Amino acid sequence: MYAFPSHKAVSITTSDETPPSDIPHLLVLRPLSDAWLSALNAKFTLISPSSPLSASVHAALISGAYNRVDPALLDQYPSLRCLVNTGAGVNHINFEECKRRGVQVANVGETHSRNVADYAVGLLIDVMRRITMSDRYVRNGLWVTQGNYPLGSKLGGKRVGIVGLGSIGSAIAKRLEAFGCKISYLSTKPKPTVSYRYIPNICDMAAESDILVVSCSLTKETHHIVNKKVLQALGKEGIIINIGRGANIDEPELVRCLVQGEIKGAGLDVFECEPNIPKESIELENVVLTPHQSVFTPEAMAEVIQICIANFEAFFAGKPLITPVVAD
Amino acid sequence: MYAFPSHKAVSITTSDETPPSDIPHLLVLRPLSDAWLSALNAKFTLISPSSPLSASVHAALISGAYNRVDPALLDQYPSLRCLVNTGAGVNHINFEECKRRGVQVANVGETHSRNVADYAVGLLIDVMRRITMSDRYVRNGLWVTQGNYPLGSKLGGKRVGIVGLGSIGSAIAKRLEAFGCKISYLSTKPKPTVSYRYIPNICDMAAESDILVVSCSLTKETHHIVNKKVLQALGKEGIIINIGRGANIDEPELVRCLVQGEIKGAGLDVFECEPNIPKESIELENVVLTPHQSVFTPEAMAEVIQICIANFEAFFAGKPLITPVVAD
């Protein structure tokens, strides 16, 4: 659900000389934009991975787009006790290993969830009501020569199955309720705090849904969780929205279904081999294809920087992290 | 907010001979699709305008796309006492004249409002988060060669000014609340039943809004209600969504502002000279252009037919109309 937007990766211009001891050291394991750099520099002494000081630093800024938090990385920086992850997805982090070594992990809380949920609903309305398709139609001059565009479907009353009711899935559900959709969800276990219908089997959920929204993280269990059987269960009138990870869906099978009309349409912000998308999908009329951008807005970037700093400040003050990752 | 979708206008195959007296006569003043024809034929004897019987019919089906309900039309059918309008807009109906002659008017209630509101929110998210623009970017192969697409803006916390808080505007507000937007509205007078902020002047509202959503009907007072001054008050970061009528906005001025960056973006489903759109808009990246389709879905068509029939049945039974137009 998160890829850091392209920007000039600014190299960290830290000194390798011993910095003043009263400013906490922060290991930076991802590229930083100017906004990041100036905000972090104001609070911390930034240490690059190539610095000899890196082996003794207690806290690090990480990102799933650049880092895999596994025993090899943790061995390399044995003093680490706090990781703050700038993304929404956490599939790059080995939590068991972190726990075993006493490494706390935070991510950026609800900031990403709301952005991703807004985007998921936007993609869904777009596909259902054919906004992107009809914009193309109008720009190509076809409204004048061929009349109205074929109608899209009504959102109200539709059965939406949400694959993964974490903070993103929950935010999507909350929004879709305002449109009169009927929500059900798939999760590792039922959530006692929600009133939506829990369906423990994804094929059952697909069969009883008009729309599937994929909003789970990518794990061994959720790799290709939407496969041929699920797509068949969803059926010819079904629509899929994916703002999770590309590999949550068997992509070649999805494309085949879309080409052959075995499902009705899709809104895809993520793909298995980004930035490459399946060639056949480019010609499809019933699909909206966007470049993994559901999570990020300029407003969110400012918020994310502040949340990361607040987590590090809490850590260095010996207090609990502000937005710890709660293992599901 | 409503234009009947293109379809083969089926001519009404009514007999000019006197039909059985126990089946109510219904004057049909708009083209009918097969679905309309078979549903209406099952309940009524359909009378075409060219039939000699038309002058004595008490009830008629009308549409703003085909009829102007003015003294000339009412003189032509002096026996009319009930009009059922299949659209959402009612700017084609002279209500004073109808009232003076004892002609009741119904339209199709909330059916259209929900569809239009869904669409308005879809257009808004699309423009804010750049869905249509980035789909074009991906399809043109630019994600691979040029990297990520410039980011869109966050919806949460944005100030949305709604021009016209009728049933459509209210449904839009309800949906946008779920996204954390701050709602204000312009209306002829404050609505005691809502908690949104009332701003009686559109320039003031534009100045205090990030987004303007035009959802009013088209009257003398709302013609070009969004003019140069309003656009200037909205400013460079402002976004406009129009699902009302094209002529609610001074279209050349809007296009000039979009071209020159004096406002940030727009989502337009309606235009002043449909199906023609302003030539310059076709090249604009910051605009989503759709062919006046916010109101209609196949599901809604079935609902609309049923609501119209229910209104006529109530009228012929001497009961109050089911969904009378309430003059504001």
Side-chain angles (χ1 to χ4, degrees):
Chain A
M1 289 146 278
Y2 175 77
F4 201 74
S6 62
H7 56 68
K8 287 170 201 150
V10 180
S11 57
I12 307 166
T13 55
T14 51
S15 162
D16 281 347
E17 292 166 36
T18 309
S21 60
D22 56 338
I23 301 180
H25 291 193
L26 181 62
L27 178 62
V28 177
L29 295 177
R30 48 156 290 175
L32 295 180
S33 66
D34 289 342
W36 272 104
L37 253 190
S38 67
L40 292 178
N41 262 323
K43 301 278 186 174
F44 310 106
T45 297
L46 304 188
I47 307 293
S48 78
S50 61
S51 162
L53 293 172
S54 67
S56 61
V57 178
H58 300 310
L61 187 75
I62 61 168
S63 158
Y66 303 97
N67 315 119
R68 178 148 296 280
V69 179
D70 52 15
L73 181 137
L74 294 168
D75 282 345
Q76 199 179 342
Y77 308 109
S79 301
L80 278 184
R81 294 294 173 270
C82 169
L83 298 174
V84 178
N85 178 49
T86 57
V90 289
N91 54 302
H92 56 295
I93 300 171
N94 181 332
F95 284 101
E96 275 182 34
E97 200 60 31
C98 287
K99 196 173 175 187
R100 203 176 65 75
R101 299 177 186 227
V103 179
Q104 304 178 63
V105 182
N107 66 1
V108 289
E110 300 293 309
T111 312
H112 290 326
S113 309
R114 288 189 290 259
N115 267 333
V116 177
D118 292 352
Y119 201 88
V121 175
L123 265 184
L124 174 55
I125 303 177
D126 195 313
V127 173
M128 296 280 288
R129 303 297 306 275
R130 318 192 78 176
I131 292 176
T132 291
M133 296 83 163
S134 67
D135 172 274
R136 207 154 48 226
Y137 184 84
V138 167
R139 284 178 196 256
N140 288 336
L142 300 176
W143 191 13
V144 176
T145 58
Q146 300 193 21
N148 290 334
Y149 191 71
L151 299 173
S153 294
K154 186 179 178 182
L155 196 56
K158 288 292 186 296
R159 301 164 303 166
V160 181
I162 297 183
V163 183
L165 199 75
S167 64
I168 292 173
S170 301
I172 293 170
K174 178 192 156 199
R175 284 155 176 73
L176 288 179
E177 278 189 287
F179 293 83
C181 295
K182 296 170 191 160
I183 311 290
S184 65
Y185 70 102
L186 178 85
S187 195
T188 45
K189 50 181 185 286
K191 311 253 173 185
T193 54
V194 302
S195 59
Y196 313 125
R197 182 171 170 219
Y198 174 64
I199 306 181
N201 177 289
I202 190 166
C203 275
D204 294 345
M205 189 166 80
E208 296 184 46
S209 295
D210 303 300
I211 297 149
L212 274 192
V213 178
V214 181
S215 58
C216 57
S217 56
L218 181 62
T219 64
K220 274 180 203 165
E221 290 73 29
T222 63
H223 183 268
H224 284 198
I225 188 171
V226 177
N227 57 22
K228 185 174 182 173
K229 274 190 182 174
V230 175
L231 292 166
Q232 281 176 339
L234 184 61
K236 283 191 175 183
E237 294 300 314
I239 282 172
I240 283 219
I241 303 298
N242 192 5
I243 47 76
R245 295 284 185 206
N248 289 136
I249 301 182
D250 179 343
E251 193 171 276
E253 189 57 32
L254 172 63
V255 171
R256 194 193 61 73
C257 286
L258 286 165
V259 168
Q260 301 189 355
E262 293 179 22
I263 72 164
K264 192 173 184 182
L268 306 173
D269 187 49
V270 288
F271 304 87
E272 286 210 70
C273 305
E274 296 170 8
N276 296 295
I277 62 168
K279 274 184 195 167
E280 310 92 310
S281 65
I282 295 175
E283 299 301 322
L284 288 172
E285 259 295 284
N286 52 346
V287 181
V288 177
L289 308 162
T290 64
H292 200 144
Q293 65 185 14
S294 74
V295 78
F296 233 72
T297 60
E299 296 90 336
M301 192 166 84
E303 276 180 55
V304 163
I305 293 174
Q306 290 314 310
I307 292 171
C308 289
I309 288 176
N311 273 291
F312 287 125
E313 287 183 328
F315 170 74
F316 288 121
K319 295 180 183 167
L321 299 184
I322 307 291
T323 52
V325 176
V326 181
D328 197 21
Chain B
M1 287 147 276
Y2 174 77
F4 201 74
S6 62
H7 55 68
K8 287 170 202 150
V10 180
S11 56
I12 306 165
T13 54
T14 51
S15 161
D16 283 348
E17 291 167 34
T18 308
S21 60
D22 55 340
I23 301 180
H25 292 192
L26 180 62
L27 178 62
V28 177
L29 295 177
R30 49 156 290 175
L32 295 179
S33 66
D34 288 341
W36 272 105
L37 254 189
S38 67
L40 293 178
N41 263 323
K43 301 277 186 174
F44 310 106
T45 297
L46 304 188
I47 306 294
S48 78
S50 61
S51 160
L53 292 172
S54 67
S56 60
V57 177
H58 299 310
L61 187 74
I62 61 168
S63 156
Y66 303 97
N67 314 120
R68 179 148 294 282
V69 179
D70 52 15
L73 181 137
L74 294 168
D75 282 346
Q76 198 178 342
Y77 307 109
S79 301
L80 279 184
R81 294 294 174 270
C82 169
L83 298 174
V84 178
N85 178 49
T86 57
V90 288
N91 53 302
H92 56 294
I93 300 171
N94 182 332
F95 284 101
E96 274 182 36
E97 199 60 33
C98 287
K99 195 172 175 188
R100 203 176 66 76
R101 298 176 188 229
V103 179
Q104 302 179 64
V105 182
N107 66 0
V108 290
E110 299 293 308
T111 312
H112 290 325
S113 309
R114 289 188 290 259
N115 267 333
V116 177
D118 292 352
Y119 200 89
V121 174
L123 265 185
L124 174 55
I125 303 176
D126 195 313
V127 173
M128 295 282 286
R129 301 298 305 276
R130 317 191 78 177
I131 293 176
T132 292
M133 295 84 162
S134 67
D135 171 273
R136 206 152 50 223
Y137 184 84
V138 167
R139 284 178 196 256
N140 288 336
L142 300 175
W143 191 13
V144 176
T145 58
Q146 301 193 19
N148 291 334
Y149 190 71
L151 299 172
S153 294
K154 187 179 177 182
L155 195 57
K158 289 292 186 297
R159 302 164 302 166
V160 181
I162 298 182
V163 183
L165 199 75
S167 63
I168 291 173
S170 301
I172 293 170
K174 178 191 156 199
R175 284 154 176 73
L176 288 179
E177 277 189 288
F179 293 83
C181 295
K182 296 169 191 160
I183 311 290
S184 64
Y185 70 101
L186 177 85
S187 195
T188 44
K189 52 181 185 284
K191 311 253 175 185
T193 54
V194 303
S195 60
Y196 313 125
R197 183 173 169 218
Y198 174 64
I199 305 182
N201 177 289
I202 190 166
C203 277
D204 294 346
M205 189 166 81
E208 296 185 46
S209 295
D210 302 301
I211 296 150
L212 274 192
V213 178
V214 181
S215 58
C216 57
S217 55
L218 181 61
T219 63
K220 273 182 204 165
E221 290 73 31
T222 63
H223 183 268
H224 285 200
I225 188 171
V226 176
N227 57 21
K228 184 174 184 174
K229 276 190 181 174
V230 175
L231 293 166
Q232 282 178 337
L234 184 61
K236 282 189 175 184
E237 294 301 313
I239 282 173
I240 283 219
I241 303 299
N242 192 5
I243 46 76
R245 295 284 185 206
N248 289 135
I249 301 183
D250 179 343
E251 193 170 277
E253 189 57 33
L254 173 65
V255 172
R256 193 193 61 72
C257 286
L258 287 163
V259 169
Q260 302 191 353
E262 293 179 22
I263 73 165
K264 191 173 184 183
L268 306 173
D269 187 49
V270 288
F271 303 88
E272 285 210 69
C273 305
E274 296 171 8
N276 296 295
I277 61 168
K279 273 183 194 167
E280 309 93 309
S281 66
I282 295 175
E283 299 302 321
L284 288 172
E285 259 295 284
N286 52 344
V287 181
V288 177
L289 308 162
T290 63
H292 201 145
Q293 66 186 13
S294 74
V295 77
F296 233 74
T297 60
E299 295 91 335
M301 192 167 84
E303 277 180 54
V304 163
I305 292 174
Q306 290 314 312
I307 292 170
C308 290
I309 288 175
N311 273 291
F312 286 125
E313 287 183 328
F315 170 75
F316 288 121
K319 294 180 184 167
L321 298 184
I322 307 290
T323 53
V325 176
V326 181
D328 197 20

